[in-house]
Amino acid sequence: MIRSGFAESRHRGSVLVLGADGEPLLSAGQVARPMFPRSVNKPLQAVAMLRAGLDLDGKLLALAAASHSGEDFHVAGVREILAGAGLAESALRCPPALPMDEQSKREVLRHGGGPDRVHMNCSGKHAAMLACCVAAGWPVDSYLDPGHPLQAAIRRTLEELAGEQVQAVGVDGCAAPLFALSLTGVARALRVLVTAPAASPERRVADAMRAYPDWTSGSRRPERALMAAVPGLLVKSGAEGVEGLALADGRAAAFKIEDGAARARPAVMVALLRWLGVAGDPGTVAALDRIGHVPVLGGEQEVGAIRATLPR
């Protein structure tokens, strides 16, 4: 991070880039060591749920793989998934939260609302997990138990897509089981999603996320802007500085910022896309310039920015 021409802070991380053939093009840091991908696992979890009988598509499938902003259409979608399964909001076991989106948060508070489960950014995934349990005939109340059939199916799918064994199991911020993968495994898995045959569970998730990026993130999020700027791009971000991407031709990447700084993610993501050569036409160049510029403020004035430097 540069402030007034001075390097004030440094965020270091690990990164892996795979070519269209699945072979590494760029590797730096701890790319084989297990880490918690956090919400970058969500598209893979959604694949597992489709395989287990979840009946969602389009916008609602994108929401099932989302870290959504809590905007009105997100909340309506979560309620639609639950209603389709014959369940009420009380079935959700994610923690109460206010919307991530500042404008939506202000609206909730202005109308006397407060934190609730349906506004929590993982409620789309939780609603889909519940709907999957109903479709498969599995118990609903214990859907977050790591030994539940749903979670066992998710673990098997993650291991298959990533091409490696889960080395650790934790609890995510939303209370769901969290399966550790390496950056290599994450990049492999996202590559599988975009290269899978049309109408397969893997491709259905990738296509839904790319068609409806506002449902996967939010109207004012960098992830949405990136997918709108780069045709065929699949992006998923996670907490603690994790992010993954895949392009339509099978190139894929994943990175983790060591200190978990989310503010570094947009700059690194744009730097990777430029390294991959996707910034061709003027419109894409301008969009990447805008998304990748993370300003540093001094008072109300911009006095610097976060800059990303990739290994050579």
Side-chain angles (χ1 to χ4, degrees):
M1 186 187 82
I2 306 299
R3 178 184 297 275
S4 305
F6 182 82
E8 183 177 29
S9 301
R10 289 180 173 85
H11 304 298
R12 296 179 174 86
S14 301
V15 61
L16 177 78
V17 180
L18 299 178
D21 60 358
E23 293 300 314
L25 297 177
L26 174 66
S27 177
Q30 302 293 330
V31 301
R33 187 172 66 186
M35 53 95 197
F36 285 135
R38 302 298 295 270
S39 288
V40 181
N41 274 351
K42 285 178 179 175
L44 317 182
Q45 293 170 315
V47 170
M49 288 187 274
L50 289 180
R51 290 180 177 183
L54 178 67
D55 184 19
L56 292 179
D57 226 324
K59 296 175 180 178
L60 296 184
L61 180 55
L63 186 60
S67 300
H68 68 73
S69 291
E71 297 172 68
D72 287 346
F73 65 93
H74 295 134
V75 173
V78 172
R79 288 172 172 154
E80 184 176 347
I81 294 172
L82 291 170
L87 298 170
E89 291 178 35
S90 58
L92 293 170
R93 292 292 180 266
C94 52
L98 287 165
M100 291 175 63
D101 180 71
E102 286 298 324
Q103 182 175 318
S104 300
K105 183 189 299 183
R106 287 194 295 270
E107 283 297 304
V108 168
L109 295 173
R110 187 170 69 86
H111 288 95
D116 60 29
R117 299 183 195 280
V118 76
H119 280 93
M120 198 267 171
N121 76 89
C122 298
S123 64
K125 177 184 76 175
H126 280 252
M129 285 181 169
L130 288 163
C132 182
C133 289
V134 171
W138 293 331
V140 170
D141 292 344
S142 58
Y143 78 98
L144 296 183
D145 187 324
H148 190 282
L150 170 67
Q151 302 303 334
I154 287 173
R155 178 171 181 161
R156 288 194 301 271
T157 298
L158 264 64
E159 292 179 332
E160 175 194 328
L161 296 175
E164 64 185 36
Q165 297 296 304
V166 167
Q167 297 296 316
V169 181
V171 181
D172 213 336
C174 68
L178 178 59
F179 300 112
L181 297 172
S182 69
L183 288 174
T184 301
V186 169
R188 280 195 203 118
L190 294 178
R191 180 180 176 275
V192 171
L193 265 60
V194 299
T195 59
S200 64
E202 297 89 341
R203 186 66 173 274
R204 284 172 60 193
V205 172
D207 287 350
M209 292 177 68
R210 292 182 292 190
Y212 303 103
D214 49 341
W215 285 76
T216 300
S217 55
S219 300
R220 293 169 279 274
R221 294 267 290 282
E223 298 94 327
R224 179 199 180 280
L226 282 167
M227 286 196 273
V230 181
L233 174 65
L234 174 68
V235 172
K236 187 69 193 77
S237 61
E240 294 303 309
V242 186
E243 193 132 18
L245 71 90
L247 294 163
D249 63 5
R251 289 178 292 169
F255 66 85
K256 175 173 172 56
I257 306 301
E258 188 174 330
D259 65 1
R263 67 182 183 180
R265 284 200 318 245
V268 175
M269 176 61 74
V270 169
L272 279 173
L273 290 172
R274 286 179 170 144
W275 190 89
L276 286 164
V278 303
D281 64 88
T284 301
V285 171
L288 293 182
D289 285 345
R290 183 177 65 255
I291 299 163
H293 180 70
V294 184
V296 172
L297 301 181
E300 297 179 343
Q301 303 298 317
E302 182 175 334
V303 297
I306 293 177
R307 300 176 186 170
T309 302
L310 297 179
R312 297 185 183 275

